[in-house]
DNA sequence: CAAATAGTGTCTATCAGACATTATATC
DNA sequence: GATATAATGTCTGATAGACACTATTTG
């Protein structure tokens, strides 16, 4: 009857259509700074503004596949060893001035890649320090005089902030910090990931003790490297745990 | 150009339309059991099956508003003192056999309400113990012989499982357990919420010490009640914190 | 009285954070 | 030698979990 609320009590074709997009929060750590992949928009609205990469979901494509496709297209790499997970969905009525668009945001964490090339595309993708876009998320850091200070188009600043907060929380309970590292990495490199994402300084000694004491997190490879200078450090690879126990808690 | 990926490089009207729905995971604690609001479907597909309540998003309505509207309609209460938050979005290509439907799921936590009445609607909503729908989430509990053992229509079992896991995690770091309680409650009542949601037994003495020691969580009202039998218990109301410190951690 | 629930105290193992110290590389 | 990074050790205070004990109600 007319007031029924079940999604299948009507033919779905009777109901208003929406455009559905995926937007990507792609994070990496470059030069010790948490950085996000952004594009510069060429067209109105928000022409010339920075925005998150993204695109429309195709008719025969799941949301997850659309996100993976967009990621591959934006970074120019076919199959990336990156973590990709759904973040949240944004559906304010006026978030796009032209029509009703529902955007499903995804969070991707990538190691420090070569500068991304747009896939033969007019829009150039570039890594930008998150602190220069959202200084509120990094209270102690100096104001960025560099490329930006610019805010993002649409509600993308909010989406980026949600993505950073998700990444910060995930680093506590999951081994995802390793997603920012190459396949083999040192404890110091892993610590610099935590410091960049959380925006805090950590005690190297306590960090070392904690991270090597968390069972299943790190597996020693047996080799060492001195790519940071100083005493050579042991190389590790990621273990097989999915949940850290005990967790790596953020400082209060 | 033709390979551009920005959602706004094209007129959105050129792209495939999707139907967008909201589905609700509404949880409460009844008789010591975590229970979810489910409806029985009257029409194909899945006629006669249980399903989560939900409905289509309207054209001039945000996702959050659509979820709040559906919740009010399904529970028959206009303005509920419930917690409502977005859970995740489900967009597999074949999740609805009739057409492409994107479903944004929301999680609602409610105190033990009078039996819900459907809003003059043919579909009757009812509370069902989650353990009878998803016994895997409650390993120690006895097999339910009652109303169900039935699984849910579409991908709703997965959505419900995700909602329960979200609720379980949120109880650790937020004061959301109080959303399952009346405005004034005892420590014992709050403990039974944690036990029902997590599906574990907790030590009443350690729980009392922890929960009363977490600053800002509970504010004593000054009154007592003996609605459980035994020695009368102090009544509390929820404090003003949004994040518990220290958190209430689930037993390993 | 017994039984049930509420509330406090005590003990121990573990963990987070502060910080000393040693080891091994480069400049 | 100076400096930088790596790695281990030590100490203290906070916390989690196990559990003894007391308090106050109902039946």
């Amino acid at each position: 009857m007319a007031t029924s609320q079940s999604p299948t009590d009507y033919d779905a074709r009777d109901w208003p259509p929406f455009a559905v997009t995926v937007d990507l929060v792609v994070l990496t750590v470059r030069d010790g700074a948490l950085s996000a992949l952004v594009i510069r928009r060429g067209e109105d609205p928000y022409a010339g503004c920075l925005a998150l990469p993204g695109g429309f979901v195709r008719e025969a494509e799941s949301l997850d596949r659309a996100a993976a496709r967009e990621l591959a297209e934006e970074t120019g790499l076919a199959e990336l060893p990156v973590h990709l997970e759904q973040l949240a969905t944004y559906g304010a009525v006026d978030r796009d001035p032209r029509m009703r668009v529902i955007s499903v945001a995804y969070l991707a964490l990538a190691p420090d890649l070569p500068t991304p090339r747009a896939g033969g595309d007019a829009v150039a993708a570039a890594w930008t320090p998150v602190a220069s876009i959202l200084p509120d998320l990094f209270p102690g850091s100096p104001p960025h005089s560099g490329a930006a200070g610019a805010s993002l188009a649409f509600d993308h600043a909010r989406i980026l902030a949600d993505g950073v907060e998700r990444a910060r929380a995930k680093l506590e309970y999951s081994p995802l910090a390793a997603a920012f590292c190459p396949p083999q990495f040192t404890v110091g490199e892993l610590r610099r990931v935590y410091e960049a994402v959380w925006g805090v300084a950590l005690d190297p000694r306590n960090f070392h003790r904690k991270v090597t004491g968390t069972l299943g997190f790190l597996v020693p490879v047996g080799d060492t490297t001195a790519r940071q200078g100083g005493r050579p450090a042991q190389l590790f690879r990621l273990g097989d745990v999915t949940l850290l126990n005990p967790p790596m808690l953020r400082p209060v």
Side-chain angles (χ1 to χ4, degrees), chain A:
Chain A
M1 62 172 287
T3 57
S4 171
Q5 300 309 322
S6 172
T8 54
D9 288 348
Y10 287 97
D11 190 315
R13 274 158 282 251
D14 295 342
W15 289 80
F18 294 82
V20 178
T21 63
V22 292
D23 284 324
L24 298 175
V25 176
V26 189
L27 300 178
T28 195
V29 176
R30 279 175 84 86
D31 305 322
L34 181 67
S35 302
L37 194 62
V38 296
I39 60 161
R40 191 166 291 279
R41 290 181 53 77
E43 304 185 7
D44 273 322
Y46 298 100
C49 283
L50 296 176
L52 297 177
F56 286 92
V57 177
R58 297 177 182 167
E59 192 146 24
E61 174 184 66
S62 72
L63 297 175
D64 289 355
R65 275 197 58 80
R69 173 179 54 77
E70 291 289 341
L71 179 62
E73 289 173 355
E74 298 290 347
T75 59
L77 296 173
E79 279 304 315
L80 279 165
V82 300
H83 173 82
L84 183 62
E85 69 176 44
Q86 192 185 299
L87 179 58
T89 299
Y90 300 83
V93 174
D94 58 351
R95 60 179 299 279
D96 188 311
R98 295 161 304 169
M99 78 167 289
R100 188 72 194 274
V101 178
I102 303 291
S103 174
V104 184
Y106 278 74
L107 173 66
L109 310 181
D112 193 359
L113 303 166
T115 300
R117 52 168 207 85
D121 200 330
V123 273
W127 295 112
T128 304
V130 176
S132 73
I133 305 172
L134 301 170
D136 290 355
L137 294 184
F138 296 86
S141 82
H144 267 260
S145 51
S151 59
L152 299 183
F154 305 106
D155 51 2
H156 288 188
R158 169 68 180 278
I159 298 175
L160 176 59
D162 291 347
V164 170
E165 177 47 37
R166 171 77 65 91
R168 286 178 170 179
K170 281 239 159 185
L171 256 55
E172 292 193 294
Y173 296 97
S174 78
L176 267 182
F180 289 106
C181 296
Q184 298 194 355
F185 52 89
T186 69
V187 173
E189 289 164 353
L190 190 67
R191 176 172 49 81
R192 281 180 279 275
V193 165
Y194 274 90
E195 291 178 327
V197 176
W198 285 348
V200 298
L202 300 174
D203 185 297
R205 299 158 294 182
N206 290 336
F207 182 88
H208 190 284
R209 178 167 40 80
K210 262 183 88 163
V211 80
T212 54
T214 295
L215 258 295
F217 192 177
L218 300 186
V219 178
V221 170
D223 209 353
T224 62
T225 181
R227 48 189 175 219
Q228 298 295 332
R231 172 177 166 179
Q234 263 192 285
L235 280 169
F236 295 87
R237 63 172 177 81
L238 183 59
D240 54 2
V241 287
T242 58
L243 221 64
L244 299 186
N245 194 305
M248 306 286 297
L249 297 176
R250 278 179 274 189
V252 290

